[in-house]
């Protein structure tokens, strides 16, 4: 718009709206939506903002709140998620997935609907299963992993923020907008170095920092999954916002598939499914999910 | 002199006169910015100001008006003008 001659800054102008619309947008939407009620509605009002006569400055030259880097766009709602069957069950028996954990997701409606749907199947599964005793050996191993950072030396060890930023930078550098095998493989090596050399020497001063650190360990795993999946996808894909710089367009056709990555006996296993794997939507929904309670 | 560091932002301000130390704000905060004050009845301690999401839940849940205030960092404070002052 700036190129077309509009002059910055832009302003959000509610003043010319009909009174009811202004009250819906400012009073109801901004004033009642959880995370804008205090930070925006109340704080602006207390500072003197009056939507009937003031206009709010917008920063940037467009809708910058959603200005993702191309490589971030690849991760927002679109491409990855748990592979699942028609009951939203995963390859681990009894583990169901819903919402943003599924691919092609990114809205409250989808999260609520799939949560309801997966929950129904999960409760059906649970009601037919017997509870087994906790495996002491397994929980002991997990405790050792979780508490390990508390034993390290804070003077020499690395904290959660430093490791978090290092992983982010690795992903920006080696898994950016345009993907190349060589870059992706270098990225994997960086993550392996962090995993082998840095992760065993991290430290947390308190439970708060320990939780953050454990989240960063998960981020490290997820980053590896992303890099390995990118390596497995050989051609660019418009719908997935996935761009390759080292394969030709003629390779695009064979890449119209789902790529599945999983860990089995400590080994990474890759497999593929055709895009139409789930078959006819209407027919299968009826088959697997008939649920029409009378009260609805 | 105190050997410490000024934080990059101060998202939460307490009014110690009004705060009853009920810790509802501590409980609600999704990222655990606070810890309860070791002095019972005193305002919670803001231990991790850099992790605040500026969601305002702590202010919404506080039962005493004005005991807790959410303050955006300077760079995120939005500006406005009176429409009648804008050149058309
Ligand atoms: C800025 C923003 C604005 C949005 N605006 C809209 C909008 O206007 N309309 C709309 O429809 N959608 C919007 N969305 C999308 C919508 O918010 C999400 O799709 C939806 O909330 C996903 O719900 P969910 O339950 O699947 O996941 P989440 O709400 O993300 O829940 C996942 C939960 O799992 C927890 N968790 C993660 N890891 C672990 C672990 N290892 N152990 C235990 N717990 C864990 C997390 O803490 C979190 O509570 C927006 C999203 C964002 C980020
Ligand atoms: S604004 Fe939200 S994130 Fe920040 S301290 Fe309050 S509850 Fe926590
Ligand atoms: S909720 Fe309000 S009164 Fe209670 S501790 Fe927090 S600021 Fe104080």
């Amino acid at each position: 718009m700036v190129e077309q001659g509009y002059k910055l800054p832009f302003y959000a102008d509610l003043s010319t709206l009909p009174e009811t619309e202004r009250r819906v947008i400012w009073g109801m939407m901004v004033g009642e939506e959880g995370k804008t009620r205090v930070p925006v509605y109340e704080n602006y009002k207390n500072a003197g903002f009056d939507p009937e006569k003031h206009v709010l400055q917008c920063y940037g030259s467009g809708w910058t709140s959603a200005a993702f880097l191309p490589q971030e766009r690849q991760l927002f709602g679109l491409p990855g998620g748990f592979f699942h069957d028609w009951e939203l069950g995963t390859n681990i028996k009894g583990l169901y997935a819903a919402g943003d954990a599924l691919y092609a997701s990114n809205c409250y409606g989808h999260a609520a609907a799939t949560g309801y749907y997966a929950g129904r199947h999960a409760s059906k599964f649970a009601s037919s299963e017997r509870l087994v005793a906790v495996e002491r050996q397994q929980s002991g191993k997990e405790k050792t992993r979780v508490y390990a950072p508390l034993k390290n030396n804070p003077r020499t060890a690395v904290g959660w923020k430093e490791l978090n930023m290092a992983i982010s930078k690795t992903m920006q550098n080696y898994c950016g907008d345009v993907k190349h095998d060589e870059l992706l493989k270098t990225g994997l090596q960086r993550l392996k170095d962090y995993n082998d050399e840095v992760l065993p020497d991290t430290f947390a001063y308190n439970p708060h920092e320990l939780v953050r650190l454990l989240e960063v360990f998960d981020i490290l795993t997820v980053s590896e999954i992303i890099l390995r999946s990118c390596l497995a996808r050989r051609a660019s894909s418009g719908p997935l916002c996935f761009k390759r710089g080292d394969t030709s367009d003629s390779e695009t056709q064979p890449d119209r598939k789902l790529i599945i990555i999983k860990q089995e006996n400590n080994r990474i296993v890759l497999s593929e499914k055709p895009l139409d794997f789930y078959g006819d939507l209407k027919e299968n929904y009826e088959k697997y999910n008939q649920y029409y309670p009378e009260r609805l | 002199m105190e050997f410490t560091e000024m934080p990059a932002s101060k998202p939460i301000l307490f009014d110690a006169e009004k705060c009853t130390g009920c810790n509802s704000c501590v409980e609600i905060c999704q990222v655990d910015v606070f810890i309860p004050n070791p002095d019972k009845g005193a305002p919670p301690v803001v231990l991790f100001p850099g992790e605040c999401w500026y969601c305002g839940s702590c202010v919404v849940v506080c039962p005493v008006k004005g005991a807790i205030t959410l303050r955006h960092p300077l760079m995120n404070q939005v500006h406005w003008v009176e429409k009648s002052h804008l050149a058309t």
Side-chain angles (χ1 to χ4, degrees), chain A:
Chain A
M1 285 174 93
V2 177
E3 288 82 33
Q4 287 164 14
Y6 287 90
K7 191 170 137 290
L8 292 173
F10 293 146
Y11 293 96
D13 182 5
L14 300 167
S15 70
T16 51
L17 288 174
E19 163 79 10
T20 14
E21 280 182 38
R22 185 169 46 247
R23 281 176 46 203
V24 166
I25 291 178
W26 189 250
M28 202 170 93
M29 226 176 90
V30 178
E32 293 301 331
E33 200 174 87
K35 295 191 173 180
T36 44
R37 176 165 155 191
V38 170
V40 180
Y41 184 75
E42 287 188 10
N43 280 6
Y44 290 17
K45 194 175 65 186
N46 293 341
F49 175 71
D50 176 354
E52 280 185 41
K53 60 174 193 210
H54 293 131
V55 287
L56 276 173
Q57 188 179 330
C58 305
Y59 296 86
S61 56
W63 189 34
T64 47
S65 67
F68 297 100
L69 292 171
Q71 59 268 36
E72 289 168 338
R73 171 54 69 191
Q74 290 162 8
L75 291 177
F76 196 76
L78 276 170
F82 283 95
F83 183 65
H84 57 82
D85 58 22
W86 258 101
E87 297 187 339
L88 294 185
T90 65
N91 67 319
I92 297 175
K93 200 173 153 216
L95 179 67
Y96 294 78
D100 278 3
L102 302 171
Y103 40 78
S105 59
N106 202 244
C107 87
Y108 302 137
H110 175 272
T114 53
Y116 189 40
Y117 182 122
R120 275 199 324 264
H121 288 288
S123 70
K124 196 169 141 202
F125 172 84
S127 61
S128 65
E129 289 291 310
R130 214 169 32 84
L131 277 183
V132 292
V134 171
E135 269 190 42
R136 294 279 161 217
Q137 206 190 355
Q138 193 186 8
S139 62
K141 215 171 127 195
E142 180 62 359
K143 262 192 196 160
T144 309
R145 178 189 81 91
V146 163
Y147 293 130
L150 299 176
K151 297 200 179 76
N152 290 331
N153 180 352
R155 280 192 301 114
T156 48
V158 166
W160 73 268
K161 288 184 188 172
E162 188 176 349
L163 182 55
N164 193 13
M165 286 189 263
I167 300 169
S168 302
K169 186 153 186 191
T170 301
M171 294 305 278
Q172 296 293 350
N173 284 348
Y174 302 106
C175 194
D177 183 19
V178 184
K179 313 286 194 272
H180 286 261
D181 269 2
E182 220 174 292
L183 279 178
L184 295 167
K185 283 179 187 159
T186 313
L188 267 182
Q189 184 57 46
R190 290 276 181 283
L191 296 186
K192 186 174 179 321
D193 293 345
Y194 294 150
N195 189 62
D196 297 350
E197 288 157 30
V198 182
L199 198 140
D201 196 17
T202 45
F203 182 78
Y205 273 110
N206 48 52
H208 176 102
E209 286 193 348
L210 184 60
V211 170
R212 292 286 174 270
L213 197 49
L214 295 171
E215 286 167 352
V216 175
F217 294 172
D218 287 349
I219 291 171
L220 188 65
T221 307
V222 172
S223 300
E224 185 185 340
I225 294 174
I226 292 171
L227 281 171
R228 290 195 184 276
S229 312
C230 289
L231 274 166
R233 193 165 283 287
R234 304 305 311 156
S236 304
S237 159
L240 292 179
C241 302
F242 182 84
K243 239 187 278 171
R244 259 202 179 266
D246 54 2
T247 50
S248 65
D249 283 351
S250 59
E251 286 177 85
T252 309
Q253 201 51 31
D255 228 9
R256 288 179 52 78
K257 62 195 172 199
L258 303 170
I259 293 172
I260 298 149
I261 180 167
K262 64 177 171 182
Q263 188 171 306
E264 241 173 32
N265 304 324
N266 266 335
R267 271 186 48 245
I268 293 156
V269 182
L270 282 154
S271 59
E272 295 170 4
K273 292 272 185 260
L275 275 191
D276 58 3
F277 171 74
Y278 290 99
D280 185 78
L281 222 64
K282 200 170 170 193
E283 190 184 305
N284 281 313
Y285 190 92
E286 280 298 316
K287 184 168 157 197
Y288 291 99
N289 296 284
Q290 280 198 18
Y291 185 70
Y292 304 111
E294 275 167 36
R295 60 189 170 83
L296 287 182

Side-chain angles (χ1 to χ4, degrees), chain B residues 41-55:
Chain B
V45 179
V46 182
L47 197 57
F48 303 101
E51 292 176 42
C52 177
W53 276 74
Y54 298 89
C55 68

